[in-house]
């Protein structure tokens, strides 16, 4: 498969492994009376409707495995450093996030986000939140592989176009779009989008 060829043997195997772990672990545990296809559909409905999403987070063992893998850097732009900026506006908190993006040549591109939000009193809490917020890696092999897949999968095509236009999408929005699109949850690419855009971003 061209997708796996672009992504590479090791990263493809890691991605397949975490898809399988999610199905055999979380889905079978939480939706024991449903087959995998229907369990995916119900999972997305629950993600879309629930305010608290952490119930679906991978286990500590799974997260450790993923964090130590190369796949994490291929799929996401990872925060490299975060700092709060002093400013004169008492009603706003200003911060910077520098992220690194592993490109298809195996080199890192660095991008810095500058943002202001309504005043936050707990800077440590903000930093912790931002440390766990991953961006899309627009320069990596996973994105390139998805671009290839988009020629065969209309939803992947729409996802590529939308994220290219507006950036990272809200998890509940992705779940809603997947649900309303009446996708085939046996589809190879649909499963991988659910894992990378919802499960491992929770």
């Amino acid at each position: 498969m061209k997708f796996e060829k672009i992504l590479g043997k090791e990263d493809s195997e890691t991605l397949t492994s975490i898809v399988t772990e999610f199905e055999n672990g979380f889905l079978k545990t939480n939706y024991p009376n449903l087959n995998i296809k229907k369990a995916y559909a119900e999972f997305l409905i629950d993600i879309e409707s629930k305010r608290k999403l952490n119930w679906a987070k991978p286990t500590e063992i799974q997260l450790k495995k993923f964090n130590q893998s190369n796949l994490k850097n291929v799929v996401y732009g990872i925060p490299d450093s975060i700092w709060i900026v002093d400013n004169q506006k008492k009603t706003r908190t200003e911060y910077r996030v520098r992220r690194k993006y592993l490109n298809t040549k195996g080199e890192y591109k660095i991008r810095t986000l500058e943002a202001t939000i309504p005043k936050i009193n707990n800077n440590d809490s903000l930093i912790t939140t931002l440390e766990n917020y991953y961006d899309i890696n627009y320069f990596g092999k996973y994105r390139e592989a998805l671009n290839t897949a988009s020629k065969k999968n209309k939803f992947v095509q729409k996802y590529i176009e939308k994220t290219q236009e507006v950036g990272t999408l809200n998890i509940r929005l992705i779940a809603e779009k997947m649900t309303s699109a009446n996708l085939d949850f046996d589809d190879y690419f649909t499963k991988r989008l659910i894992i990378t855009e919802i499960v491992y971003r929770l």
Side-chain angles (χ1 to χ4, degrees):
M1 180 184 291
K2 194 169 185 180
F3 176 90
E4 293 184 347
K5 185 176 181 181
I6 293 172
L7 190 56
K9 184 175 184 294
E10 181 180 342
D11 293 329
S12 293
E13 289 177 349
T14 300
L15 183 52
T16 297
S17 173
I18 62 178
V19 169
T20 301
E21 287 172 352
F22 178 70
E23 292 179 350
N24 292 336
F26 181 85
L27 291 184
K28 286 188 176 180
T29 298
N30 289 276
Y31 309 99
N33 299 320
L34 301 178
N35 61 36
I36 292 299
K37 185 175 181 177
K38 290 182 178 178
Y40 268 114
E42 195 65 25
F43 166 71
L44 291 176
I45 292 171
D46 286 341
I47 286 293
E48 179 188 350
S49 62
K50 290 181 182 291
R51 290 185 177 182
K52 293 184 178 180
L53 304 176
N54 285 342
W55 66 290
K57 284 180 70 68
T59 65
E60 290 296 324
I61 293 175
Q62 291 169 340
L63 283 173
K64 182 177 180 181
K65 176 183 176 181
F66 181 69
N67 288 335
Q68 292 175 344
S69 73
N70 184 63
L71 182 65
K72 179 179 179 179
N73 294 302
V74 170
V75 175
Y76 303 117
I78 308 297
D80 183 50
S81 58
I82 300 165
W83 63 100
I84 308 299
V85 179
D86 290 330
N87 63 51
Q88 303 301 316
K89 298 178 181 179
K90 295 182 180 180
T91 60
R92 307 288 295 179
T93 294
E94 184 176 354
Y95 64 86
R96 305 283 186 273
V97 181
R98 187 175 69 183
R99 292 192 179 94
K100 58 181 184 179
Y101 301 81
L102 184 65
N103 65 22
T104 55
K105 297 179 181 179
E107 302 168 345
Y108 282 103
K109 286 182 174 288
I110 304 297
R111 296 288 186 271
T112 301
L113 167 70
E114 302 180 2
T116 63
I117 57 175
K119 185 67 176 180
I120 297 291
N121 294 321
N122 190 334
N123 289 343
D124 290 339
S125 177
L126 173 61
I127 290 173
T128 298
T129 298
L130 293 171
E131 283 175 342
N132 295 297
Y133 186 82
Y134 304 146
D135 191 20
I136 294 169
N137 185 352
Y138 298 94
F139 314 101
K141 292 186 296 182
Y142 181 66
R143 186 77 173 184
E144 183 180 339
L146 279 180
N147 269 307
T148 300
S150 70
K151 298 173 183 178
K152 299 180 180 180
N153 187 304
K154 289 184 178 179
F155 186 84
V156 175
Q157 182 181 29
K158 290 180 180 178
Y159 163 81
I160 291 287
E161 291 172 353
K162 193 65 176 178
T163 52
Q164 200 67 38
E165 178 186 347
V166 303
T168 303
L169 301 176
N170 178 276
I171 290 170
R172 292 175 68 184
L173 174 62
I174 296 175
E176 186 275 327
K177 293 296 184 185
M178 285 184 162
T179 301
S180 62
N182 195 28
L183 299 178
D184 176 7
F185 295 112
D186 278 336
D187 181 74
Y188 177 96
F189 301 112
T190 299
K191 290 181 177 183
R192 278 149 183 77
L193 270 186
I194 291 172
I195 292 297
T196 58
E197 292 307 305
I198 297 178
V199 178
Y200 276 79
R201 281 185 50 219
L202 287 171

